[in-house]
Amino acid sequence: MILIAALAFVAGSCSKDDDDKKLFTMGKDARPTEWRIPNYNDYEQLMSVEVQLQDELQQYASYGDLLCAIIHEEVRGVAEPEQNSDGQWYFSMTIGSNTANAPILLGYYCEKLRRIYYIDWTNFDMSLPPTGEGPIYKPQFVSVEK
């Protein structure tokens, strides 16, 4: 009985840390070939935004990464990373849509980790300023407890 309780305690106490560590270990995802820049002439509205890579992923970023915006299961925007003078990674992306307020799924491919991370990001809003502060501009692909 004591052994079972001890094993349950160890398994329970390590599970969150193990989950966090798995987020930053080498995966097996290939660079998504279906993530291609769409023909923006197919869309009535465009939204441009500069997305900053979250702090926890900065050390794993490289020029082989990709960011993808998906609306209604269609790729609506793709961006390759850029690095500013402070060494921080960001993506300048244009997103196309025919409807305002459509929910956007954001995908991030990390080449160094060979992982794809997805989040429900924001709703399409062409009036959104291209740069700013907050979760739209610095989305959290991974949740890490501090």
Side-chain angles (χ1 to χ4, degrees):
M1 212 46 135
I2 294 172
L3 181 60
I4 292 171
L7 287 174
F9 174 76
V10 170
S13 64
C14 295
S15 63
K16 180 61 181 159
D17 290 340
D18 289 346
D19 288 346
D20 288 348
K21 289 175 187 173
K22 287 178 187 175
L23 293 171
F24 301 105
T25 58
M26 183 66 76
K28 296 180 181 180
D29 295 326
R31 192 170 205 256
T33 56
E34 67 278 9
W35 290 5
R36 294 187 194 106
I37 296 174
N39 180 353
Y40 293 113
N41 292 326
D42 293 342
Y43 303 104
E44 297 171 6
Q45 302 172 43
L46 297 177
M47 171 180 158
S48 295
V49 65
E50 185 175 289
V51 176
Q52 302 168 28
L53 191 58
Q54 80 178 83
D55 296 340
E56 291 83 2
L57 291 170
Q58 284 284 336
Q59 65 182 317
Y60 302 105
S62 71
Y63 286 107
D65 295 359
L66 280 177
L67 191 70
C68 177
I70 300 168
I71 298 175
H72 302 303
E73 299 181 14
E74 292 180 15
V75 172
R76 301 293 183 92
V78 175
E80 294 184 341
E82 301 175 53
Q83 202 171 21
N84 66 20
S85 59
D86 294 335
Q88 297 295 300
W89 294 91
Y90 67 95
F91 300 83
S92 295
M93 185 164 46
T94 300
I95 304 164
S97 183
N98 289 324
T99 57
N101 239 10
I104 301 173
L105 177 71
L106 197 62
Y108 167 61
Y109 172 71
C110 180
E111 183 180 63
K112 284 184 181 176
L113 293 175
R114 294 188 52 156
R115 287 190 173 273
I116 299 174
Y117 302 91
Y118 289 98
I119 60 165
D120 291 320
W121 183 41
T122 190
N123 290 337
F124 183 89
D125 181 359
M126 61 186 265
S127 68
L128 186 74
T131 60
E133 299 291 324
I136 292 171
Y137 301 100
K138 199 170 191 177
Q140 299 297 299
F141 288 99
V142 294
S143 176
V144 179
E145 292 184 20
K146 295 182 180 190

